[in-house]
Amino acid sequence: MSGGKEMFDVIVIGAGPNGLTAAGYLAKSGLKVAVLEQYVETGGGLVTQEICGFKLNHHATYMLLGELMPPYHDLDLKSWGVKFIKPEKQMAFLFKDKKSLLFFSDPKKTKSEIEKFSQKDAERFEKMYNEFSEMFYEFLLPATYVPPLEPVEQTEKLQNSDELGKKIAEISEMTPIEILDHYGISDKKLRGSLLYIICMFGLEPDEAVGFLVPIYFTRVINSALVKGGTHHLASSLRRVVESSGGHVITSAKVKKLLLKDGSAYGVELENGQVITARAIISTLNPEQNFIELMGDQKDGIFDELRDVAERWEWEEFSLFIAHRGIVGKAPSYPGYNEHVRECLNVVMGYESDDDVMEHINACRQGKLEVKGHGSTLSLFDPLLVPNHVPGEHHILRWECWAPYNADWSYQAKKEFAKKCFDLWCEYSPDIAESNVIVEIAWSPKDIEQHTLTMKKGSIKHGRYSSLQMGYNRPSPECSSSVTPIKNFYLGGASMHPGGMVILGPGYIAAKKLCEDLGIEWKFGEPEMIKRAREKGYL
Ligand SMILES: Cc1cc2nc3c(=O)[nH]c(=O)nc-3n(C[C@H](O)[C@H](O)[C@H](O)COP(=O)(O)OP(=O)(O)OC[C@H]3O[C@@H](n4cnc5c(N)ncnc54)[C@H](O)[C@@H]3O)c2cc1C
């Protein structure tokens, strides 16, 4: 690419999972695509950094949908080497009385675990899991890859369909806590564990986002890792784009959207370079899209879009991630069930749903609490320690909820990371014996700094509230990718269906743009979507 003006069919702003997905589809459809990324590397939330031979996933780690995502098949990601590792033993909750509660990808095994706490709750868990699983496969998964319906229309469709549709409509406006009550889950330890699972990625326990609960509940305990590190998914998507003739340009921060007579025709980069295209897809957040990129545009639709951005709510709490690369034994947990050490995530510090609520409320008040989960990722994927001796070198990854508004100076961050590892050591004294080669922590402020899209550490680009989901994400005019600005489309996590590595926004944006440009969509429609339509859910 030379300096000056360039003409592409499509510019995609942001090379996160959604931007690369949209670009992959469009490039494979024969369009001339340029992906512009402000950072030195692609990936957005798909970051894996190799330090001293340890591959550290600083951001996204747990893939909730894996092969269930249509782009995995349409873009043939398997042939680009994307493999998912799916541990059978998913989560262990450790309690002070040395009891533990394990969650398996097989719900029958989980049910047996819960029976140790409460026979009745084990049956209720089974009922809830089975119902949620059906809701997920039959409605929520297909709905992730189609534009959202207007809320009243969606509710009517569900209510006029079958029993399952009615059940989805019934829980849709409940909070996660109300859903646990609805299913009669009463054991405090189990309630705490389930609430943690549901809210792990930022769902609020007291917010009426019930329709999301079946997704998070069933998928967090069916999490997969991307073999070789999460960034491998980004680098494979990039190869899809480039092998189809697309351009991926890093260190290219978009400063301004170029507009003429109300239509977008290109972008200006921070370095002054102008790049033009027939259409632009932005995967940025509403503040970036509707205030920063618009420059001094005023009146009419620009005021309305500015209003959308000004009303946008960021997530109430974020995540704190700390890694240690060690030489030593993998953590064991003396006194606890011997299988705890084989679990993907080991959760520490919560005895009940009250403790979970207390932690979230502390975050809301800007206070730090030392509770969360640890994962020895190298146990599941030796490729994460490629230059070391598997079994002797390990990656310990700590993740917990954390407020954006706290002291995140270098010293404060280091001290908090130490406290988190000290807690882990209380349960697993082996860790204290290990030789630490690498230690690095990411605060909510670092998250914001890294991607720019995740303002205030919002890992999903904005709060999940009933007013900011589905048809309202980011606003009724923009939730299906098109915006009131001609040729300007949305395609990132601040659009329906939202954040996480689910590739839905990128998929919907690419499909819509092909339709508008009169390009044949040669990827067909996934069977699950056809089935959901036939059943009248969509
Ligand atoms: C700590 C952490 C842990 C997480 N854990 C998980 C997990 O386990 N599982 C999961 O599924 N999800 C997880 N997520 C969430 C997930 O990473 C995001 O929701 C997802 O990456 C959003 O994808 P996106 O493509 O819409 O946006 P992003 O990933 O934010 O990508 C947007 C891209 O745009 C670029 N950009 C920003 N401004 C500009 C500009 N002006 N010009 C050009 N480029 C620009 C950014 O650098 C970025 O690369 C986690 C996130 C974080 C931060």
Side-chain angles (χ1 to χ4, degrees):
M1 212 180 69
S2 61
K5 290 191 175 188
E6 292 289 340
M7 180 66 188
F8 289 93
D9 290 316
V10 187
I11 289 169
V12 177
I13 308 176
N18 284 309
L20 290 170
T21 298
Y25 277 103
L26 296 169
K28 274 177 97 67
S29 299
L31 292 164
K32 197 176 167 201
V33 180
V35 184
L36 305 176
E37 166 57 47
Q38 59 93 19
Y39 192 58
V40 290
E41 180 51 274
T42 60
L46 302 170
V47 199
T48 308
Q49 186 186 21
E50 186 167 340
I51 308 179
C52 303
F54 294 93
K55 288 191 176 180
L56 313 177
N57 289 328
H58 293 305
H59 289 177
T61 297
Y62 309 102
M63 299 294 111
L64 305 188
L65 302 187
E67 291 106 342
L68 298 172
M69 301 183 287
Y72 181 77
H73 306 280
D74 295 343
L75 304 181
D76 205 8
L77 294 179
K78 192 176 172 189
S79 77
W80 292 102
V82 178
K83 288 201 180 120
F84 294 106
I85 299 167
K86 297 179 204 159
E88 191 225 0
K89 298 184 184 80
Q90 287 267 325
M91 285 187 121
F93 287 80
L94 305 188
F95 305 112
K96 283 187 192 142
D97 59 7
K98 295 280 174 185
K99 284 191 178 148
S100 58
L101 174 54
L102 270 59
F103 286 81
F104 299 80
S105 50
D106 177 353
K108 288 201 175 65
K109 290 190 180 167
T110 307
K111 186 186 172 198
S112 306
E113 274 284 302
I114 297 173
E115 277 166 0
K116 295 178 196 160
F117 291 81
S118 157
Q119 181 69 39
K120 275 195 177 146
D121 275 351
E123 272 147 34
R124 291 168 184 148
F125 165 84
E126 186 178 42
K127 178 175 187 291
M128 183 165 106
Y129 188 94
N130 290 342
E131 287 188 5
F132 282 2
S133 196
E134 209 186 344
M135 289 177 193
F136 168 73
Y137 282 107
E138 298 304 317
F139 171 65
L140 294 158
L141 180 62
T144 301
Y145 300 97
V146 293
L149 294 176
E150 193 274 321
V152 175
E153 187 188 354
Q154 181 63 79
T155 307
E156 275 175 10
K157 271 188 178 278
L158 289 169
Q159 277 167 346
N160 295 334
S161 60
D162 54 13
E163 276 312 301
L164 185 73
K166 289 188 180 66
K167 277 186 190 160
I168 300 168
E170 190 185 1
I171 63 156
S172 278
E173 286 175 21
M174 291 183 190
T175 67
I177 289 177
E178 285 166 354
I179 288 183
L180 295 182
D181 293 339
H182 177 74
Y183 281 91
I185 307 287
S186 60
D187 180 87
K188 294 297 273 178
K189 287 188 169 74
L190 177 63
R191 280 177 72 90
S193 307
L194 295 178
L195 201 57
Y196 188 83
I197 290 168
I198 293 166
C199 300
M200 187 162 144
F201 291 110
L203 252 59
E204 295 163 42
D206 43 8
E207 179 65 29
V209 285
F211 55 96
L212 292 169
V213 171
I215 306 184
Y216 284 86
F217 172 67
T218 57
R219 300 319 299 172
V220 167
I221 47 177
N222 279 284
S223 285
L225 303 173
V226 180
K227 194 169 180 183
T230 314
H231 186 265
H232 189 60
L233 177 57
S235 56
S236 302
L237 283 165
R238 177 182 187 155
R239 275 181 253 157
V240 172
V241 178
E242 292 179 333
S243 67
S244 305
H247 297 250
V248 178
I249 305 159
T250 53
S251 302
K253 184 175 179 189
V254 175
K255 193 178 88 180
K256 198 172 166 191
L257 186 71
L258 299 176
L259 295 153
K260 194 171 179 209
D261 302 329
S263 297
Y265 69 92
V267 296
E268 184 184 325
L269 303 188
E270 202 175 39
N271 65 9
Q273 189 179 1
V274 165
I275 304 177
T276 59
R278 291 160 70 193
I280 291 108
I281 296 178
S282 171
T283 64
L284 309 188
N285 69 43
E287 192 175 288
Q288 293 174 298
N289 286 331
F290 302 142
I291 298 180
E292 292 172 21
L293 296 190
M294 294 302 157
D296 49 13
Q297 299 287 338
K298 283 205 174 60
D299 303 329
I301 52 166
F302 298 104
D303 281 348
E304 283 165 31
L305 292 174
R306 173 177 279 272
D307 198 41
V308 168
E310 283 173 351
R311 277 186 284 116
W312 189 248
E313 291 181 340
W314 304 107
E315 288 160 55
E316 286 196 322
F317 50 97
S318 178
L319 292 174
F320 174 82
I321 314 288
H323 274 101
R324 273 187 188 173
I326 60 159
V327 187
K329 288 191 211 153
S332 61
Y333 300 86
Y336 287 95
N337 178 332
E338 58 180 332
H339 297 297
V340 169
R341 60 183 305 168
E342 296 154 24
C343 290
L344 176 59
N345 285 306
V346 179
V347 188
M348 293 157 252
Y350 307 92
E351 298 289 314
S352 67
D353 47 339
D354 300 331
D355 286 349
V356 172
M357 203 60 228
E358 190 188 294
H359 191 178
I360 288 174
N361 281 333
C363 289
R364 285 169 167 162
Q365 291 160 22
K367 293 185 200 144
L368 296 175
E369 283 203 357
V370 185
K371 296 169 179 171
H373 60 265
S375 179
T376 311
L377 292 178
S378 45
L379 278 179
F380 304 92
D381 185 2
L383 286 184
L384 294 177
V385 284
N387 304 320
H388 291 303
V389 186
E392 283 180 26
H393 290 73
H394 286 290
I395 292 176
L396 308 180
R397 184 180 189 276
W398 175 267
E399 184 171 86
C400 63
W401 295 318
Y404 173 80
N405 288 318
D407 174 9
W408 288 120
S409 61
Y410 175 73
Q411 197 52 34
K413 196 167 68 171
K414 221 175 143 187
E415 277 164 23
F416 186 59
K418 182 173 181 312
K419 283 184 189 165
C420 296
F421 280 107
D422 285 349
L423 175 72
W424 199 346
C425 288
E426 280 176 30
Y427 291 90
S428 178
D430 286 343
I431 296 178
E433 304 298 316
S434 60
N435 184 7
V436 179
I437 299 181
V438 168
E439 184 167 298
I440 186 161
W442 282 63
S443 72
K445 288 221 161 100
D446 298 323
I447 291 171
E448 175 185 65
Q449 197 95 38
H450 173 76
T451 57
L452 306 182
T453 44
M454 299 182 186
K455 190 161 174 193
K456 304 221 175 215
S458 291
I459 69 163
K460 303 182 295 303
H461 294 195
R463 196 172 163 224
Y464 276 15
S465 65
S466 50
L467 293 178
Q468 288 197 170
M469 290 309 288
Y471 192 70
N472 295 320
R473 192 170 183 89
S475 71
E477 299 77 33
C478 304
S479 55
S480 304
S481 182
V482 285
T483 72
I485 299 171
K486 198 161 177 269
N487 305 333
F488 184 55
Y489 293 75
L490 303 186
S494 61
M495 181 193 122
H496 166 80
M500 308 297 286
V501 185
I502 53 177
L503 314 184
Y507 177 90
I508 292 172
K511 195 164 183 212
K512 180 68 190 144
L513 185 54
C514 278
E515 198 181 300
D516 288 358
L517 293 179
I519 308 277
E520 184 201 354
W521 181 256
K522 57 182 184 184
F523 306 95
E525 184 165 65
E527 284 306 315
M528 61 175 177
I529 296 179
K530 289 185 193 155
R531 202 170 58 234
R533 286 196 211 286
E534 278 161 21
K535 290 189 172 179
Y537 304 146
L538 290 174

